[in-house]
Amino acid sequence: MATEAALPIGSRDPKSFEAFRQVRARMERITYADMDREMGVFGDPENCIARVRELQTEYGFDEFICYFKPREG
């Protein structure tokens, strides 16, 4: 899903497609541990809040993108 979201829409710029190719190649190699450590926030609300705060302190961001998976059942 993340690699498709990174696809440059309507762009014919070869640099855009090269960047997309690099993102897709990285996503094909990434492990859950990599995702948990560097890119993702998983768990109950309290854990997620704490982790986002840690990442904010580390990287100094003031915005981030979220993808949510609804609970099953």
Side-chain angles (χ1 to χ4, degrees), residues 4 13 15 18 54 60-61 65 67:
E4 295 307 313
D13 180 3
K15 292 178 193 169
E18 176 57 23
E54 289 172 5
F61 62 79
I65 298 171
Y67 294 98

Side-chain angles (χ1 to χ4, degrees), residues 46-71:
E46 292 79 17
N47 180 63
C48 290
I49 291 167
R51 183 67 178 131
V52 168
R53 286 183 176 150
E54 289 172 5
L55 292 168
Q56 184 180 31
T57 299
E58 184 174 346
Y59 295 107
F61 62 79
D62 59 4
E63 295 180 357
F64 62 97
I65 298 171
C66 297
Y67 294 98
F68 294 95
K69 179 181 176 190
R71 286 186 179 199

Side-chain angles (χ1 to χ4, degrees), residues 9-22:
I9 298 171
S11 174
R12 297 195 186 276
D13 180 3
K15 292 178 193 169
S16 295
F17 287 100
E18 176 57 23
F20 174 71
R21 188 193 65 72
Q22 290 174 10

Side-chain angles (χ1 to χ4, degrees), residues 31-40 42 51 55 58-59:
T31 65
Y32 176 81
D34 296 332
M35 183 74 73
D36 188 43
R37 182 179 58 253
E38 299 176 18
M39 302 172 72
F42 307 96
R51 183 67 178 131
L55 292 168
E58 184 174 346
Y59 295 107

